[in-house]
Tab-separated table of all heavy atoms in Angstrom:
chain	number	residue	atom	x	y	z
V	307	TYR	N	160.845	81.291	90.289
V	307	TYR	CA	160.209	82.236	91.210
V	307	TYR	C	160.737	82.071	92.630
V	307	TYR	O	159.988	81.705	93.582
V	307	TYR	CB	158.683	82.081	91.200
V	307	TYR	CG	158.078	82.293	89.834
V	307	TYR	CD1	157.619	81.193	89.080
V	307	TYR	CD2	157.961	83.582	89.271
V	307	TYR	CE1	157.098	81.367	87.811
V	307	TYR	CE2	157.407	83.781	88.035
V	307	TYR	CZ	156.968	82.661	87.299
V	307	TYR	OH	156.411	82.864	86.055
V	308	PRO	N	161.957	82.295	92.898
V	308	PRO	CA	162.515	82.074	94.209
V	308	PRO	C	161.880	82.881	95.370
V	308	PRO	O	161.717	82.345	96.446
V	308	PRO	CB	164.031	82.436	94.079
V	308	PRO	CG	164.063	83.381	92.883
V	308	PRO	CD	162.998	82.876	91.977
V	309	ILE	N	161.478	84.150	95.099
V	309	ILE	CA	160.899	84.949	96.149
V	309	ILE	C	159.558	84.358	96.534
V	309	ILE	O	159.248	84.266	97.762
V	309	ILE	CB	160.668	86.388	95.668
V	309	ILE	CG1	161.986	87.040	95.299
V	309	ILE	CG2	160.014	87.237	96.740
V	309	ILE	CD1	163.045	87.059	96.369
V	310	GLN	N	158.781	83.890	95.569
V	310	GLN	CA	157.486	83.249	95.916
V	310	GLN	C	157.697	81.977	96.686
V	310	GLN	O	156.916	81.646	97.597
V	310	GLN	CB	156.698	82.976	94.647
V	310	GLN	CG	156.114	84.234	93.963
V	310	GLN	CD	157.126	84.940	93.064
V	310	GLN	OE1	158.294	84.794	93.202
V	310	GLN	NE2	156.610	85.716	92.111
V	311	GLN	N	158.767	81.229	96.365
V	311	GLN	CA	159.068	79.996	97.108
V	311	GLN	C	159.340	80.299	98.571
V	311	GLN	O	158.882	79.569	99.438
V	311	GLN	CB	160.272	79.309	96.496
V	311	GLN	CG	159.996	78.730	95.093
V	311	GLN	CD	161.248	78.104	94.512
V	311	GLN	OE1	162.133	77.658	95.189
V	311	GLN	NE2	161.349	78.082	93.184
V	312	ILE	N	160.122	81.327	98.799
V	312	ILE	CA	160.431	81.714	100.177
V	312	ILE	C	159.183	82.116	100.912
V	312	ILE	O	158.952	81.718	102.095
V	312	ILE	CB	161.458	82.904	100.179
V	312	ILE	CG1	162.756	82.449	99.535
V	312	ILE	CG2	161.711	83.367	101.635
V	312	ILE	CD1	163.725	83.609	99.309
V	313	MET	N	158.299	82.897	100.255
V	313	MET	CA	157.066	83.349	100.900
V	313	MET	C	156.139	82.187	101.263
V	313	MET	O	155.591	82.123	102.345
V	313	MET	CB	156.350	84.352	99.984
V	313	MET	CG	157.066	85.649	99.772
V	313	MET	SD	156.246	86.710	98.558
V	313	MET	CE	154.685	87.033	99.331
V	314	VAL	N	156.017	81.255	100.321
V	314	VAL	CA	155.158	80.047	100.590
V	314	VAL	C	155.771	79.222	101.715
V	314	VAL	O	155.047	78.743	102.610
V	314	VAL	CB	155.027	79.180	99.312
V	314	VAL	CG1	154.348	77.909	99.630
V	314	VAL	CG2	154.203	79.917	98.262
V	315	HIS	N	157.076	79.054	101.701
V	315	HIS	CA	157.779	78.318	102.731
V	315	HIS	C	157.515	78.923	104.125
V	315	HIS	O	157.144	78.212	105.099
V	315	HIS	CB	159.285	78.321	102.445
V	315	HIS	CG	160.051	77.369	103.305
V	315	HIS	ND1	160.521	77.795	104.562
V	315	HIS	CD2	160.491	76.112	103.158
V	315	HIS	CE1	161.195	76.759	105.113
V	315	HIS	NE2	161.199	75.770	104.273
V	316	ASP	N	157.676	80.232	104.220
V	316	ASP	CA	157.476	80.923	105.510
V	316	ASP	C	156.016	80.911	105.931
V	316	ASP	O	155.711	80.732	107.124
V	316	ASP	CB	158.049	82.364	105.431
V	316	ASP	CG	159.554	82.391	105.278
V	316	ASP	OD1	160.171	81.337	105.571
V	316	ASP	OD2	160.094	83.441	104.914
V	317	LEU	N	155.130	81.214	104.989
V	317	LEU	CA	153.697	81.218	105.333
V	317	LEU	C	153.215	79.841	105.804
V	317	LEU	O	152.408	79.737	106.697
V	317	LEU	CB	152.878	81.649	104.098
V	317	LEU	CG	152.879	83.149	103.773
V	317	LEU	CD1	152.117	83.414	102.447
V	317	LEU	CD2	152.255	83.974	104.934
V	318	THR	N	153.716	78.800	105.196
V	318	THR	CA	153.387	77.436	105.617
V	318	THR	C	153.837	77.170	107.021
V	318	THR	O	153.137	76.613	107.847
V	318	THR	CB	153.969	76.403	104.640
V	318	THR	OG1	153.526	76.677	103.306
V	318	THR	CG2	153.474	75.002	104.999
V	319	ALA	N	155.087	77.596	107.298
V	319	ALA	CA	155.669	77.422	108.657
V	319	ALA	C	154.814	78.161	109.714
V	319	ALA	O	154.511	77.598	110.770
V	319	ALA	CB	157.109	77.910	108.703
V	320	ILE	N	154.438	79.402	109.398
V	320	ILE	CA	153.635	80.202	110.318
V	320	ILE	C	152.257	79.575	110.508
V	320	ILE	O	151.734	79.508	111.614
V	320	ILE	CB	153.520	81.669	109.845
V	320	ILE	CG1	154.893	82.313	109.800
V	320	ILE	CG2	152.546	82.455	110.707
V	320	ILE	CD1	154.921	83.672	109.094
V	321	THR	N	151.684	79.074	109.416
V	321	THR	CA	150.367	78.458	109.475
V	321	THR	C	150.363	77.225	110.373
V	321	THR	O	149.505	77.069	111.220
V	321	THR	CB	149.922	78.029	108.075
V	321	THR	OG1	149.708	79.206	107.249
V	321	THR	CG2	148.644	77.213	108.088
V	322	LEU	N	151.383	76.368	110.190
V	322	LEU	CA	151.398	75.180	110.960
V	322	LEU	C	151.783	75.421	112.461
V	322	LEU	O	151.310	74.711	113.354
V	322	LEU	CB	152.424	74.188	110.375
V	322	LEU	CG	152.078	73.702	108.949
V	322	LEU	CD1	153.119	72.750	108.422
V	322	LEU	CD2	150.711	73.043	108.901
V	323	ARG	N	152.642	76.395	112.661
V	323	ARG	CA	153.031	76.735	114.047
V	323	ARG	C	151.895	77.369	114.846
V	323	ARG	O	151.674	77.000	116.036
V	323	ARG	CB	154.241	77.633	114.021
V	323	ARG	CG	154.719	78.085	115.381
V	323	ARG	CD	155.209	76.927	116.226
V	323	ARG	NE	156.461	76.390	115.695
V	323	ARG	CZ	157.100	75.355	116.179
V	323	ARG	NH1	156.594	74.714	117.237
V	323	ARG	NH2	158.193	74.907	115.643
V	324	LEU	N	151.182	78.278	114.198
V	324	LEU	CA	150.113	79.008	114.932
V	324	LEU	C	148.747	78.373	114.759
V	324	LEU	O	147.748	78.871	115.339
V	324	LEU	CB	150.059	80.461	114.438
V	324	LEU	CG	151.359	81.302	114.636
V	324	LEU	CD1	151.145	82.723	114.105
V	324	LEU	CD2	151.728	81.338	116.102
V	325	LYS	N	148.714	77.316	113.921
V	325	LYS	CA	147.432	76.632	113.630
V	325	LYS	C	146.381	77.645	113.126
V	325	LYS	O	145.194	77.541	113.426
V	325	LYS	CB	146.916	75.914	114.890
V	325	LYS	CG	147.802	74.800	115.406
V	325	LYS	CD	147.202	74.116	116.559
V	325	LYS	CE	147.907	72.828	116.944
V	325	LYS	NZ	149.297	72.847	117.113
V	326	THR	N	146.851	78.566	112.317
V	326	THR	CA	145.961	79.563	111.698
V	326	THR	C	146.341	79.590	110.217
V	326	THR	O	147.503	79.708	109.871
V	326	THR	CB	146.137	80.924	112.327
V	326	THR	OG1	145.880	80.885	113.728
V	326	THR	CG2	145.170	81.953	111.664
V	327	ASP	N	145.315	79.532	109.356
V	327	ASP	CA	145.563	79.469	107.911
V	327	ASP	C	145.962	80.845	107.346
V	327	ASP	O	145.100	81.736	107.268
V	327	ASP	CB	144.332	78.915	107.175
V	327	ASP	CG	144.622	78.585	105.739
V	327	ASP	OD1	145.770	78.815	105.291
V	327	ASP	OD2	143.712	78.088	105.037
V	328	PHE	N	147.256	80.941	106.973
V	328	PHE	CA	147.714	82.157	106.339
V	328	PHE	C	148.012	81.979	104.859
V	328	PHE	O	148.466	82.878	104.179
V	328	PHE	CB	148.983	82.687	107.035
V	328	PHE	CG	148.749	83.199	108.414
V	328	PHE	CD1	149.047	82.394	109.526
V	328	PHE	CD2	148.200	84.451	108.644
V	328	PHE	CE1	148.870	82.863	110.814
V	328	PHE	CE2	147.992	84.928	109.918
V	328	PHE	CZ	148.320	84.139	111.021
V	329	ILE	N	147.760	80.749	104.331
V	329	ILE	CA	148.010	80.498	102.920
V	329	ILE	C	146.930	81.194	102.082
V	329	ILE	O	145.753	81.083	102.392
V	329	ILE	CB	147.955	78.969	102.669
V	329	ILE	CG1	149.022	78.260	103.512
V	329	ILE	CG2	148.197	78.706	101.186
V	329	ILE	CD1	150.440	78.647	103.170
V	330	PRO	N	147.309	81.939	101.076
V	330	PRO	CA	146.340	82.631	100.198
V	330	PRO	C	145.341	81.627	99.598
V	330	PRO	O	145.709	80.455	99.319
V	330	PRO	CB	147.201	83.257	99.094
V	330	PRO	CG	148.552	83.357	99.701
V	330	PRO	CD	148.714	82.201	100.639
V	331	ASP	N	144.136	82.053	99.455
V	331	ASP	CA	143.036	81.172	98.961
V	331	ASP	C	143.369	80.569	97.613
V	331	ASP	O	143.094	79.372	97.358
V	331	ASP	CB	141.711	81.958	98.899
V	331	ASP	CG	141.195	82.307	100.262
V	331	ASP	OD1	141.586	81.628	101.240
V	331	ASP	OD2	140.380	83.258	100.405
V	332	TYR	N	143.918	81.387	96.717
V	332	TYR	CA	144.182	80.893	95.404
V	332	TYR	C	145.222	79.782	95.387
V	332	TYR	O	145.216	78.894	94.527
V	332	TYR	CB	144.676	82.044	94.473
V	332	TYR	CG	146.084	82.501	94.709
V	332	TYR	CD1	147.156	81.903	94.076
V	332	TYR	CD2	146.384	83.510	95.638
V	332	TYR	CE1	148.480	82.287	94.319
V	332	TYR	CE2	147.639	83.936	95.852
V	332	TYR	CZ	148.717	83.309	95.195
V	332	TYR	OH	149.981	83.713	95.434
V	333	LEU	N	146.109	79.796	96.376
V	333	LEU	CA	147.152	78.760	96.480
V	333	LEU	C	146.598	77.518	97.204
V	333	LEU	O	146.812	76.389	96.799
V	333	LEU	CB	148.382	79.284	97.190
V	333	LEU	CG	149.543	78.291	97.365
V	333	LEU	CD1	150.007	77.771	95.969
V	333	LEU	CD2	150.709	78.972	98.057
V	334	ALA	N	145.906	77.762	98.324
V	334	ALA	CA	145.368	76.647	99.089
V	334	ALA	C	144.357	75.834	98.316
V	334	ALA	O	144.198	74.656	98.517
V	334	ALA	CB	144.720	77.173	100.382
V	335	ALA	N	143.642	76.495	97.391
V	335	ALA	CA	142.597	75.816	96.637
V	335	ALA	C	143.115	75.192	95.350
V	335	ALA	O	142.393	74.475	94.663
V	335	ALA	CB	141.453	76.802	96.293
V	336	SER	N	144.367	75.440	94.995
V	336	SER	CA	144.881	74.903	93.763
V	336	SER	C	145.302	73.464	93.879
V	336	SER	O	145.431	72.903	94.969
V	336	SER	CB	146.103	75.760	93.301
V	336	SER	OG	147.191	75.601	94.162
V	337	GLU	N	145.508	72.847	92.770
V	337	GLU	CA	145.937	71.443	92.742
V	337	GLU	C	147.398	71.285	92.892
V	337	GLU	O	147.895	70.213	93.280
V	337	GLU	CB	145.468	70.795	91.386
V	337	GLU	CG	143.985	70.701	91.226
V	337	GLU	CD	143.355	69.699	92.200
V	337	GLU	OE1	144.106	68.742	92.568
V	337	GLU	OE2	142.212	69.892	92.583
V	338	GLN	N	148.190	72.339	92.662
V	338	GLN	CA	149.634	72.187	92.596
V	338	GLN	C	150.361	73.359	93.229
V	338	GLN	O	150.625	74.383	92.570
V	338	GLN	CB	150.101	72.042	91.138
V	338	GLN	CG	151.509	71.601	91.008
V	338	GLN	CD	151.909	71.462	89.575
V	338	GLN	OE1	151.120	71.743	88.678
V	338	GLN	NE2	153.121	71.047	89.334
V	339	PRO	N	150.738	73.288	94.532
V	339	PRO	CA	150.326	72.252	95.474
V	339	PRO	C	149.113	72.648	96.252
V	339	PRO	O	148.804	73.838	96.343
V	339	PRO	CB	151.581	72.177	96.375
V	339	PRO	CG	152.030	73.631	96.482
V	339	PRO	CD	151.746	74.205	95.084
V	340	SER	N	148.440	71.720	96.835
V	340	SER	CA	147.275	72.061	97.662
V	340	SER	C	147.752	72.268	99.098
V	340	SER	O	148.905	72.027	99.454
V	340	SER	CB	146.300	70.854	97.662
V	340	SER	OG	146.871	69.717	98.296
V	341	MET	N	146.852	72.759	99.918
V	341	MET	CA	147.185	73.002	101.315
V	341	MET	C	147.591	71.669	102.005
V	341	MET	O	148.493	71.626	102.810
V	341	MET	CB	146.020	73.631	102.030
V	341	MET	CG	146.287	73.994	103.466
V	341	MET	SD	147.550	75.229	103.612
V	341	MET	CE	147.646	75.387	105.405
V	342	GLY	N	146.909	70.615	101.608
V	342	GLY	CA	147.233	69.321	102.178
V	342	GLY	C	148.645	68.870	101.795
V	342	GLY	O	149.337	68.261	102.609
V	343	ASP	N	149.000	69.157	100.568
V	343	ASP	CA	150.377	68.815	100.137
V	343	ASP	C	151.409	69.586	100.948
V	343	ASP	O	152.393	68.987	101.358
V	343	ASP	CB	150.537	69.197	98.641
V	343	ASP	CG	149.701	68.313	97.723
V	343	ASP	OD1	149.414	67.157	98.087
V	343	ASP	OD2	149.324	68.857	96.669
V	344	LEU	N	151.156	70.834	101.181
V	344	LEU	CA	152.123	71.671	101.980
V	344	LEU	C	152.204	71.154	103.382
V	344	LEU	O	153.305	71.076	103.954
V	344	LEU	CB	151.660	73.130	101.985
V	344	LEU	CG	151.701	73.828	100.622
V	344	LEU	CD1	151.094	75.229	100.746
V	344	LEU	CD2	153.172	73.978	100.153
V	345	ARG	N	151.114	70.727	103.959
V	345	ARG	CA	151.129	70.165	105.351
V	345	ARG	C	151.910	68.873	105.404
V	345	ARG	O	152.619	68.649	106.373
V	345	ARG	CB	149.719	69.954	105.847
V	345	ARG	CG	148.932	71.232	106.126
V	345	ARG	CD	147.602	70.872	106.783
V	345	ARG	NE	146.802	72.110	107.072
V	345	ARG	CZ	146.976	72.910	108.083
V	345	ARG	NH1	147.931	72.628	108.932
V	345	ARG	NH2	146.235	73.963	108.226
V	346	ARG	N	151.837	68.084	104.361
V	346	ARG	CA	152.510	66.771	104.352
V	346	ARG	C	154.009	66.917	104.181
V	346	ARG	O	154.793	66.175	104.749
V	346	ARG	CB	151.926	65.859	103.293
V	346	ARG	CG	150.550	65.248	103.670
V	346	ARG	CD	150.191	64.116	102.681
V	346	ARG	NE	149.982	64.656	101.350
V	346	ARG	CZ	148.784	65.084	100.910
V	346	ARG	NH1	147.768	65.131	101.736
V	346	ARG	NH2	148.637	65.539	99.680
């Protein structure tokens, strides 16, 4: 799923840069990966 990888990559960058959560709820709440994992 390369397109989804790119979207997650960009959304994570925007989230961390603007300090505003743009990660979809279904992804941020999942175990693989969690929002904490993405931040690390």
Side-chain angles (χ1 to χ4, degrees):
Y307 301 105
I309 301 302
Q310 287 85 338
Q311 292 177 27
I312 297 171
M313 292 174 64
V314 171
H315 189 275
D316 292 344
L317 283 174
T318 304
I320 295 170
T321 293
L322 297 180
R323 177 64 69 182
L324 300 181
K325 296 182 169 53
T326 303
D327 191 357
F328 290 102
I329 302 295
D331 291 337
Y332 74 89
L333 180 58
S336 67
E337 293 291 332
Q338 192 180 2
S340 67
M341 183 62 181
D343 293 331
L344 293 173
R345 289 186 181 280
R346 283 192 294 272

